[in-house]
Amino acid sequence: MPRTDVGAPIYLLVTAAANNGDFTNEANVTKIEMTLNGDYLEATYNFTDGDYFTFASEVSCIGPAGIASNLELWLKANDGTDATAQDEVIGTWTDASEKGNHGTGRNNPEFQATGDGVVNYNPSVAFNGTSNYFELPDGFEDFTGGASSFVIRKDFGTRDSYGRFFHLSTGGMNNAYIFGRNGTTNQSYWTVRSATAGNPFTFTTTTNQLPFSDIPNLLSYTQEGGFPLETGKELRSFFNGELDITTNSAVVPTKVLRTLNNIGKSHTTEYMNGYIPEFIIYTEQLTDLQAQKVSTSLGLKYGLSFNHNYISPAYDGTNAATETLYDITSYNNRIFGVGYDKMGCLSQNQSTSQLDGSLIRISVDGVLNPLNSADNTVWTADRSFIVMGDDDKDITTFVKAGQGANEPLPAIYEDCFIYRLNRNWKVQVKGAIVPDVFISILANSSSEDTKLPTFPDLGTLRSYESNSVYVVLNDNQDFTVNANMQEVALTYNATTDAYEGTITVNPSELANHTFYYTVVSKISPSRTCCLKSNNNIKNAYESN
């Protein structure tokens, strides 16, 4: 049987001959829960001639983006380490695949729950580049079906020569299969060695895939299978989900039980450095569509911006209109989001882009927690997502809407003087019933680099007045058109030093919904909003 959640029941389903194998009408289906007897699942049923039967389970967590076939290793820092406190030493990193390739920590790899090691509210494991690694059990024998791997990495620690993401061998370089760094460069490389450490294949990227920066990246590849040491095979290398380089000179690794298997270290003293929150290996070449699904899931989880559309796990190549989570043809900067996919084991409840200049932070928990809660009870429906990106316009100044080259005055403020940011955001919602979104924007008083600009100088505020911040939502990207436009007030929270509020992102409960928003500043109670744009009032206002 294919994999299900531990303890998830499996059922024998039976329907009569008259239904022609149609199991979609529950009233016509007999469902019998099977029981485990040793290695076998068993059920008893008295069949009638012509009956149809099949097997089923409840939807359950099985693999990245719901892809579990040939999943060989799945290490997640948010679910599987025996350490959960900052800098606590990890003894065991539990494999979330059904293979049980659990990692044993060597030389004190440490859990990261706060600070730079947190990637979009998810913890990570720190590899210092000089001693930390995980030892894996014997296995990793058969790559004749191909190979695929995905790793999230944020630079940290000492950049060691030829550091390894993984080193799989029978000892030393014998029968080695390696994914790591080429020397001390930023380039990724792969090596396949024979039983006697002969070198039929080494390949290095020509681009810098391991940049020395504080921005996390997704490194991945897929490799074609074949018979052991068969040459002329395809290897496709991806950087942040985008095809980076392809070679047709790859070699299939030998088929042998490997007994020296490490994450983060070679057979000698070559170590990988970085914060790594997630690591995945498949023993098959995933299709580009499958790889894009896994990349989308990881991108949303870790706040990564990609140069490809974000797609639902239900996307089959033909249903883009309903299963595209985010279309990057516009507003393709600093993409991030939240979402729930049960089969993909994803419940990302809060998020912000990991790129510089990210102003917006969101949560469906009603608050921003130090780490993602992964509380799936706030999601009414499976495979629901809320994804957003911006147009990369300026956020360093509140500008007078509609003047000169500034962005236009939103329609609900007709004939008023309003200050706003020039930047606009697009939001795409997948799912008719999704949680409200808590939004947080750091105030200008924050010590962080990206925050609201100073408020416009409108003279001395009266004792009962204050500068206020609003989010203006609209179903049309042209804010001069009132398409269900609404203004949502944000309240200053002195504890978080941020303006915060809650928006309803899909009030009409559409299966797919797109809207836009920007950020506005006004004085409350309203003083400037009601100034009409005749010259006398305008001049008096500007002189103040």
Side-chain angles (χ1 to χ4, degrees):
M1 283 292 183
R3 186 182 181 210
T4 62
D5 269 346
V6 175
I10 292 178
Y11 301 97
L12 168 67
L13 304 183
V14 184
T15 190
N19 298 315
N20 294 315
D22 182 0
F23 290 87
T24 58
N25 187 341
E26 187 174 355
N28 295 332
V29 177
T30 299
K31 182 173 75 172
I32 303 170
E33 184 173 342
M34 305 186 74
T35 57
L36 185 64
N37 184 0
D39 289 335
Y40 294 90
L41 289 161
E42 299 177 344
T44 300
Y45 183 77
N46 185 16
F47 286 100
T48 299
D49 185 36
D51 281 350
Y52 293 86
F53 73 93
T54 188
F55 302 95
S57 178
E58 305 291 343
V59 173
S60 59
C61 163
I62 60 172
I67 301 170
S69 177
N70 295 306
L71 179 60
E72 191 75 9
L73 179 70
W74 191 13
L75 301 177
K76 300 180 289 181
N78 67 300
D79 180 21
T81 61
D82 61 357
T84 56
Q86 176 65 18
D87 294 334
E88 185 179 357
V89 172
I90 301 170
T92 302
W93 199 351
T94 300
D95 177 17
S97 84
E98 63 180 359
K99 300 294 185 178
N101 289 314
H102 311 309
T104 301
R106 301 300 185 199
N107 299 325
N108 303 324
E110 294 179 341
F111 187 80
Q112 301 297 296
T114 62
D116 291 341
V118 173
V119 183
N120 198 34
Y121 306 105
N122 290 290
S124 71
V125 176
F127 291 78
N128 59 17
T130 59
S131 61
N132 306 149
Y133 71 103
F134 284 85
E135 183 178 303
L136 300 174
D138 295 352
F140 302 93
E141 176 179 356
D142 189 358
F143 291 94
T144 56
S148 302
S149 185
F150 302 79
V151 57
I152 300 289
R153 176 186 177 272
K154 182 179 179 182
D155 202 80
F156 158 78
T158 301
R159 183 177 292 268
D160 191 34
S161 179
Y162 289 98
R164 306 286 207 268
F165 285 121
F166 65 69
H167 180 105
L168 312 172
S169 76
T170 54
M173 294 293 285
N174 296 337
N175 296 299
Y177 187 30
I178 295 167
F179 174 33
R181 174 191 294 118
N182 179 30
T184 57
T185 71
N186 292 326
Q187 300 165 332
S188 299
Y189 92 113
W190 295 261
T191 291
V192 171
R193 297 296 181 97
S194 69
T196 56
N199 186 10
F201 173 67
T202 295
F203 177 67
T204 301
T205 60
T206 57
T207 53
N208 296 329
Q209 293 197 341
L210 293 93
F212 190 80
S213 74
D214 59 357
I215 297 174
N217 294 288
L218 168 62
L219 295 89
S220 58
Y221 76 94
T222 64
Q223 181 177 335
E224 187 180 4
F227 59 79
L229 297 181
E230 184 177 358
T231 60
K233 295 299 179 180
E234 179 186 68
L235 186 148
R236 296 164 65 79
S237 171
F238 299 82
F239 182 65
N240 286 333
E242 184 177 13
L243 181 64
D244 183 49
I245 193 168
T246 300
T247 179
N248 290 306
S249 62
V251 174
V252 180
T254 55
K255 186 176 180 180
V256 63
L257 182 72
R258 291 176 168 82
T259 54
L260 192 157
N261 304 313
N262 295 326
I263 297 292
K265 177 183 179 292
S266 72
H267 60 299
T268 56
T269 57
E270 296 155 326
Y271 295 90
M272 180 56 71
N273 69 307
Y275 297 116
I276 297 181
E278 194 150 345
F279 197 103
I280 300 166
I281 298 177
Y282 288 91
T283 54
E284 73 168 296
Q285 182 184 29
L286 297 187
T287 66
D288 283 356
L289 180 57
Q290 289 175 315
Q292 189 177 354
K293 290 181 180 182
V294 176
S295 295
T296 292
S297 182
L298 293 173
L300 292 177
K301 184 173 181 178
Y302 295 107
L304 306 181
S305 285
F306 296 152
N307 289 325
H308 67 64
N309 285 348
Y310 293 64
I311 58 174
S312 163
Y315 179 61
D316 62 8
T318 65
N319 53 355
T322 58
E323 299 302 334
T324 298
L325 302 182
Y326 196 83
D327 185 341
I328 67 162
T329 55
S330 64
Y331 299 83
N332 51 15
N333 301 278
R334 287 170 285 269
I335 300 167
F336 66 100
V338 291
Y340 175 52
D341 171 28
K342 187 171 184 179
M343 288 183 67
C345 316
L346 175 70
S347 185
Q348 187 64 28
N349 285 20
Q350 58 191 58
S351 187
T352 188
S353 171
Q354 299 303 287
L355 295 180
D356 293 339
S358 180
L359 184 67
I360 306 296
R361 302 174 298 165
I362 62 172
S363 170
V364 293
D365 290 330
V367 66
L368 283 169
N369 295 298
L371 292 176
N372 178 48
S373 70
D375 178 13
N376 59 29
T377 63
V378 302
W379 298 93
T380 301
D382 190 15
R383 293 185 171 175
S384 297
F385 300 89
I386 305 165
V387 189
M388 59 188 70
D390 69 65
D391 59 9
D392 202 30
K393 293 181 180 177
D394 183 62
I395 57 170
T396 60
T397 308
F398 277 112
V399 299
K400 195 171 291 184
Q403 287 203 350
N406 296 340
E407 287 292 288
L409 180 73
I412 56 173
Y413 303 124
E414 183 180 2
D415 295 331
C416 297
F417 290 118
I418 289 294
Y419 284 82
R420 58 165 293 177
L421 298 182
N422 270 327
R423 182 173 294 179
N424 303 285
W425 286 261
K426 178 178 75 173
V427 183
Q428 289 187 234
V429 181
K430 171 65 177 174
I433 303 176
V434 294
D436 288 346
V437 169
F438 172 85
I439 188 169
S440 174
I441 307 176
L442 290 174
N444 184 258
S445 52
S446 169
S447 60
E448 297 294 327
D449 292 335
T450 302
K451 55 192 175 185
L452 282 173
T454 56
F455 289 115
D457 183 5
L458 300 178
T460 302
L461 297 183
R462 299 175 178 90
S463 59
Y464 55 85
E465 293 179 328
S466 62
N467 285 300
S468 299
V469 177
Y470 300 83
V471 173
V472 177
L473 317 177
N474 199 36
D475 287 352
N476 193 313
Q477 63 181 330
D478 181 356
F479 279 84
T480 66
V481 176
N482 188 339
N484 298 317
M485 190 177 292
Q486 58 177 305
E487 175 191 77
V488 178
L490 304 184
T491 302
Y492 178 69
N493 183 334
T495 302
T496 60
D497 200 8
Y499 286 87
E500 301 171 345
T502 300
I503 59 177
T504 300
V505 297
N506 195 2
S508 299
E509 298 186 357
L510 304 173
N512 294 274
H513 177 51
T514 299
F515 70 94
Y516 306 83
Y517 69 88
T518 191
V519 178
V520 164
S521 169
K522 297 192 306 181
I523 290 179
S524 295
S526 178
R527 188 211 309 178
T528 61
C529 177
C530 295
L531 291 177
K532 303 301 181 183
S533 55
N534 65 66
N535 288 333
N536 291 333
I537 296 178
K538 178 180 178 183
N539 292 336
Y541 162 70
E542 289 183 337
S543 68
N544 287 332

